[in-house]
């Protein structure tokens, strides 16, 4: 037993005369690179389908909520813009009236200036 332990043999190792391949080597990978292949999806721990479905529904609900919030934000922005446009239109009407009043007064002022020039020319 001690001699076998020193040279790396175990009690399960067949005697040297038999030379049959060990069961581990017969089942081993054909290439050393086979040991480094990435694990496939089937070897990773799998979640139950009900958990995957719940996660999918939660993510769908979250997406729908974000979309709904964005639509509501856009609706609020449009309402504010519409209010601002109405306010601007009202101010424009007021400005238009003030400009027309100033233009009519300018005509009167221009005629007064022309009258003064004529009096100075005399």
């Amino acid at each position: 037993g001690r001699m076998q332990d020193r040279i790396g043999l175990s009690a399960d190792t067949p005697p040297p005369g038999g030379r049959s391949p060990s069961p581990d080597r017969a089942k081993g990978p054909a290439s050393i690179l086979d040991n480094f292949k990435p694990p496939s999806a089937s070897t990773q721990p799998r979640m139950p389908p009900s958990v995957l479905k719940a996660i999918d529904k939660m993510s769908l609900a979250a997406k729908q909520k974000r979309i709904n919030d964005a639509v509501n934000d856009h609706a609020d922005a449009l309402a504010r813009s519409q209010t601002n446009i109405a306010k601007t239109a009202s101010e424009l009407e007021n400005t238009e009236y003030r400009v027309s009043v100033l233009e009519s007064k300018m005509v009167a002022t221009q005629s007064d200036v022309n009258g003064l020039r004529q009096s100075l020319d005399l």
Side-chain angles (χ1 to χ4, degrees):
R2 286 185 173 209
M3 183 64 162
Q4 288 177 338
D5 289 343
R6 287 187 182 167
I7 60 171
L9 299 176
S10 68
D12 297 333
T13 306
R19 296 274 181 219
S20 65
S22 70
D24 293 339
R25 289 198 182 193
K27 290 187 280 184
S31 165
I32 194 163
L33 296 178
D34 290 343
N35 291 331
F36 298 106
K37 287 185 179 174
S40 64
S42 62
T43 61
Q44 295 176 353
R46 297 192 61 159
M47 289 192 238
S50 58
V51 172
L52 294 173
K53 195 174 202 179
I55 290 172
D56 193 40
K57 282 184 179 180
M58 284 190 302
S59 64
L60 180 61
K63 286 178 189 176
Q64 288 174 338
K65 184 178 182 330
R66 283 194 307 268
I67 290 169
N68 193 27
D69 290 346
V71 167
N72 288 337
D73 290 344
H74 290 207
D76 292 344
L78 286 173
R80 283 192 305 272
S81 296
Q82 191 172 12
T83 302
N84 289 340
I85 289 171
K87 182 179 174 185
T88 302
S90 172
E91 289 175 356
L92 183 61
E93 287 175 8
N94 291 337
T95 303
E96 181 184 12
Y97 173 73
R98 290 193 326 234
V99 167
S100 63
V101 168
L102 287 173
E103 284 175 342
S104 66
K105 288 184 179 180
M106 183 70 178
V107 169
T109 305
Q110 193 67 32
S111 67
D112 289 344
V113 168
N114 285 338
L116 285 173
R117 281 190 180 159
Q118 287 175 358
S119 67
L120 288 176
D121 286 341
L122 292 176

